Coordinates of all heavy atoms in Angstrom, one line a residue:
E47 N 82.3 24.8 142.3 CA 83.0 26.1 142.0 C 83.1 26.4 140.5 O 83.1 27.5 140.1 CB 84.4 26.1 142.6 CG 84.5 26.3 144.1 CD 85.8 25.8 144.6 OE1 86.8 25.7 143.9 OE2 85.9 25.5 145.8
N48 N 83.2 25.3 139.8 CA 83.5 25.5 138.3 C 82.3 25.1 137.4 O 82.5 25.0 136.2 CB 84.7 24.7 137.9 CG 86.0 25.2 138.6 OD1 86.4 26.3 138.3 ND2 86.5 24.5 139.6
G49 N 81.1 24.9 138.0 CA 79.9 24.6 137.2 C 80.0 23.3 136.4 O 79.5 23.3 135.3
I50 N 80.6 22.3 137.0 CA 80.8 21.0 136.3 C 79.7 20.1 136.8 O 79.6 19.9 138.0 CB 82.2 20.4 136.5 CG1 83.2 21.4 136.0 CG2 82.3 19.0 135.9 CD1 84.7 21.0 136.3
P51 N 78.9 19.5 135.9 CA 77.7 18.7 136.4 C 78.0 17.5 137.3 O 77.3 17.2 138.2 CB 77.0 18.3 135.1 CG 77.6 19.1 134.0 CD 78.9 19.6 134.5
V52 N 79.0 16.7 136.9 CA 79.3 15.5 137.6 C 80.6 15.5 138.4 O 81.6 15.9 137.8 CB 79.3 14.3 136.6 CG1 79.5 13.0 137.3 CG2 77.9 14.2 135.8
A53 N 80.6 15.0 139.6 CA 81.8 14.9 140.4 C 82.0 13.5 140.9 O 81.1 12.9 141.4 CB 81.7 15.8 141.6
V54 N 83.2 12.9 140.6 CA 83.4 11.5 140.9 C 84.8 11.4 141.6 O 85.6 12.2 141.5 CB 83.3 10.6 139.7 CG1 81.9 10.6 139.1 CG2 84.4 10.9 138.7
S55 N 85.0 10.2 142.2 CA 86.3 10.0 142.9 C 87.0 8.7 142.4 O 88.0 8.3 143.1 CB 86.1 10.0 144.4 OG 85.3 8.9 144.8
T56 N 86.5 8.1 141.4 CA 87.2 7.0 140.8 C 87.3 7.1 139.3 O 86.5 7.8 138.7 CB 86.5 5.6 141.1 OG1 85.3 5.6 140.3 CG2 86.3 5.4 142.6
L57 N 88.4 6.5 138.8 CA 88.6 6.6 137.3 C 87.5 5.9 136.6 O 87.1 6.4 135.5 CB 90.0 6.0 137.1 CG 90.7 6.3 135.7 CD1 90.7 7.8 135.4 CD2 92.1 5.7 135.7
D58 N 87.1 4.7 137.1 CA 86.0 4.0 136.4 C 84.8 4.8 136.3 O 84.2 4.9 135.2 CB 85.7 2.7 137.3 CG 86.6 1.6 136.9 OD1 87.4 1.7 136.0 OD2 86.5 0.6 137.6
A59 N 84.4 5.5 137.3 CA 83.2 6.4 137.3 C 83.4 7.5 136.3 O 82.4 7.8 135.5 CB 82.9 6.9 138.7
L60 N 84.6 8.0 136.2 CA 84.8 9.1 135.2 C 84.7 8.5 133.8 O 84.0 9.1 132.9 CB 86.1 9.8 135.4 CG 86.2 11.0 134.4 CD1 85.8 12.3 135.1 CD2 87.6 11.1 133.8
L61 N 85.3 7.4 133.6 CA 85.4 6.8 132.2 C 84.0 6.3 131.8 O 83.7 6.1 130.6 CB 86.4 5.8 132.1 CG 87.9 6.3 132.3 CD1 88.9 5.2 132.4 CD2 88.2 7.3 131.3
N62 N 83.1 6.0 132.8 CA 81.8 5.5 132.5 C 80.8 6.7 132.3 O 79.7 6.5 131.9 CB 81.2 4.6 133.6 CG 81.9 3.2 133.5 OD1 82.1 2.8 132.4 ND2 82.1 2.6 134.6
A63 N 81.3 7.9 132.5 CA 80.4 9.1 132.2 C 80.3 9.2 130.7 O 81.1 8.7 130.0 CB 81.0 10.3 132.9
D64 N 79.4 10.0 130.3 CA 79.2 10.2 128.8 C 80.2 11.2 128.3 O 79.9 12.4 128.1 CB 77.7 10.7 128.6 CG 77.4 10.8 127.1 OD1 78.2 10.3 126.3 OD2 76.4 11.5 126.8
I65 N 81.4 10.8 128.1 CA 82.5 11.7 127.6 C 83.2 11.1 126.4 O 83.2 9.9 126.2 CB 83.5 11.9 128.8 CG1 84.1 10.6 129.3 CG2 82.9 12.7 129.9 CD1 85.3 10.8 130.2
D66 N 83.8 12.0 125.7 CA 84.6 11.6 124.5 C 86.1 11.7 124.8 O 86.9 11.1 124.1 CB 84.3 12.6 123.3 CG 82.8 12.8 123.1 OD1 82.2 11.7 122.8 OD2 82.3 13.9 123.2
A67 N 86.5 12.6 125.7 CA 87.9 12.9 125.9 C 88.2 13.2 127.3 O 87.3 13.6 128.1 CB 88.3 14.2 125.0
V68 N 89.4 13.0 127.7 CA 89.8 13.3 129.1 C 91.0 14.3 129.0 O 91.9 14.2 128.1 CB 90.2 12.1 130.0 CG1 89.0 11.2 130.1 CG2 91.4 11.4 129.4
Y69 N 91.1 15.2 130.0 CA 92.2 16.1 130.2 C 92.9 15.6 131.5 O 92.2 15.7 132.6 CB 91.8 17.5 130.3 CG 92.9 18.4 130.8 CD1 94.1 18.5 130.2 CD2 92.7 19.2 131.9 CE1 95.1 19.3 130.7 CE2 93.7 20.0 132.4 CZ 94.9 20.1 131.8 OH 95.9 20.9 132.3
I70 N 94.1 15.2 131.5 CA 94.8 14.7 132.7 C 95.7 15.7 133.3 O 96.7 16.1 132.6 CB 95.6 13.4 132.4 CG1 94.6 12.3 131.8 CG2 96.3 12.9 133.6 CD1 95.3 11.0 131.4
S71 N 95.4 16.2 134.5 CA 96.3 17.2 135.1 C 96.5 16.8 136.6 O 96.5 17.7 137.4 CB 95.8 18.6 134.9 OG 94.5 18.7 135.6
T72 N 96.7 15.5 136.9 CA 97.0 15.1 138.2 C 98.5 15.2 138.4 O 99.2 15.6 137.4 CB 96.6 13.6 138.4 OG1 97.1 12.9 137.2 CG2 95.1 13.4 138.5
T73 N 99.1 14.9 139.5 CA 100.5 14.9 139.7 C 101.1 13.8 138.7 O 100.5 12.9 138.3 CB 100.9 14.6 141.2 OG1 100.2 13.5 141.6 CG2 100.5 15.8 142.0
N74 N 102.4 14.0 138.4 CA 103.0 13.3 137.3 C 103.0 11.8 137.3 O 103.0 11.1 136.3 CB 104.4 13.9 137.0 CG 104.4 15.4 136.8 OD1 103.4 15.9 136.3 ND2 105.4 16.1 137.2
E75 N 103.1 11.3 138.6 CA 103.3 9.8 138.7 C 102.0 9.1 138.3 O 102.0 7.9 138.1 CB 103.7 9.4 140.1 CG 102.6 9.3 141.1 CD 102.1 10.6 141.6 OE1 102.3 11.7 141.0 OE2 101.4 10.6 142.7
L76 N 100.9 9.8 138.2 CA 99.6 9.2 138.0 C 99.2 9.2 136.5 O 98.2 8.5 136.1 CB 98.5 10.0 138.8 CG 98.7 10.0 140.3 CD1 97.6 10.9 141.0 CD2 98.5 8.5 140.8
H77 N 99.9 10.0 135.7 CA 99.5 10.2 134.3 C 99.4 8.9 133.5 O 98.5 8.7 132.7 CB 100.4 11.2 133.6 CG 100.5 12.6 134.1 ND1 101.3 13.6 133.7 CD2 99.7 13.2 135.1 CE1 101.1 14.7 134.3 NE2 100.1 14.5 135.2
L78 N 100.5 8.1 133.7 CA 100.6 6.8 132.9 C 99.3 5.9 133.0 O 98.7 5.6 132.1 CB 101.8 6.1 133.2 CG 102.0 4.7 132.6 CD1 102.2 4.8 131.1 CD2 103.1 3.9 133.3
E79 N 99.1 5.6 134.3 CA 98.0 4.6 134.5 C 96.6 5.2 134.1 O 95.8 4.6 133.5 CB 98.0 4.4 136.0 CG 97.0 3.3 136.5 CD 96.8 3.3 138.0 OE1 97.7 3.8 138.7 OE2 95.7 2.9 138.4
Q80 N 96.4 6.5 134.4 CA 95.2 7.2 134.0 C 95.0 7.3 132.5 O 93.9 7.0 131.9 CB 95.1 8.6 134.7 CG 95.0 8.4 136.2 CD 95.2 9.7 136.9 OE1 95.8 10.7 136.4 NE2 94.7 9.8 138.2
A81 N 96.1 7.6 131.8 CA 96.0 7.7 130.3 C 95.8 6.3 129.7 O 94.9 6.2 128.8 CB 97.3 8.3 129.8
L82 N 96.5 5.3 130.2 CA 96.3 4.0 129.6 C 94.8 3.5 129.8 O 94.2 2.9 128.9 CB 97.3 3.0 130.2 CG 98.7 3.2 129.8 CD1 99.6 2.1 130.5 CD2 98.9 3.1 128.3
A83 N 94.3 3.8 131.0 CA 92.9 3.4 131.3 C 91.9 4.1 130.3 O 91.0 3.6 129.8 CB 92.5 3.6 132.7
A84 N 92.2 5.4 130.2 CA 91.3 6.2 129.3 C 91.4 5.8 127.9 O 90.4 5.7 127.2 CB 91.7 7.7 129.4
I85 N 92.6 5.5 127.4 CA 92.8 5.0 126.0 C 92.0 3.7 125.9 O 91.3 3.5 124.9 CB 94.3 4.9 125.7 CG1 94.9 6.3 125.7 CG2 94.5 4.1 124.4 CD1 96.5 6.3 125.7
K86 N 92.2 2.8 126.9 CA 91.5 1.5 126.8 C 90.0 1.7 126.7 O 89.3 0.9 126.0 CB 91.9 0.7 128.0 CG 91.6 -0.8 127.9 CD 92.2 -1.5 129.1 CE 91.7 -2.9 129.1 NZ 91.8 -3.5 130.5
A87 N 89.5 2.7 127.3 CA 88.0 3.0 127.3 C 87.6 3.7 126.0 O 86.5 4.2 125.9 CB 87.6 3.8 128.5
G88 N 88.6 4.0 125.1 CA 88.3 4.6 123.8 C 88.2 6.1 123.9 O 87.6 6.7 123.0
K89 N 88.8 6.7 124.9 CA 88.7 8.2 125.0 C 89.9 8.8 124.4 O 91.0 8.3 124.6 CB 88.6 8.6 126.5 CG 87.6 7.9 127.3 CD 86.1 8.0 126.8 CE 85.2 7.2 127.7 NZ 83.8 7.1 127.0
H90 N 89.7 10.0 123.8 CA 90.9 10.8 123.4 C 91.5 11.4 124.7 O 90.8 11.7 125.7 CB 90.4 11.9 122.5 CG 89.7 11.4 121.3 ND1 90.3 10.7 120.3 CD2 88.4 11.4 121.0 CE1 89.4 10.4 119.4 NE2 88.2 10.8 119.8

Side-chain angles (χ1 to χ4, degrees):
E47 282 159 23
N48 295 290
I50 300 170
V52 178
V54 297
S55 62
T56 67
L57 197 51
D58 275 352
L60 185 93
L61 296 174
N62 282 327
D64 182 16
I65 57 171
D66 309 300
V68 298
Y69 166 59
I70 300 177
S71 62
T72 47
T73 48
N74 302 331
E75 84 285 14
L76 300 173
H77 296 174
L78 172 70
E79 186 194 333
Q80 292 168 338
L82 291 179
I85 291 167
K86 199 170 165 203
K89 312 299 178 193
H90 304 289

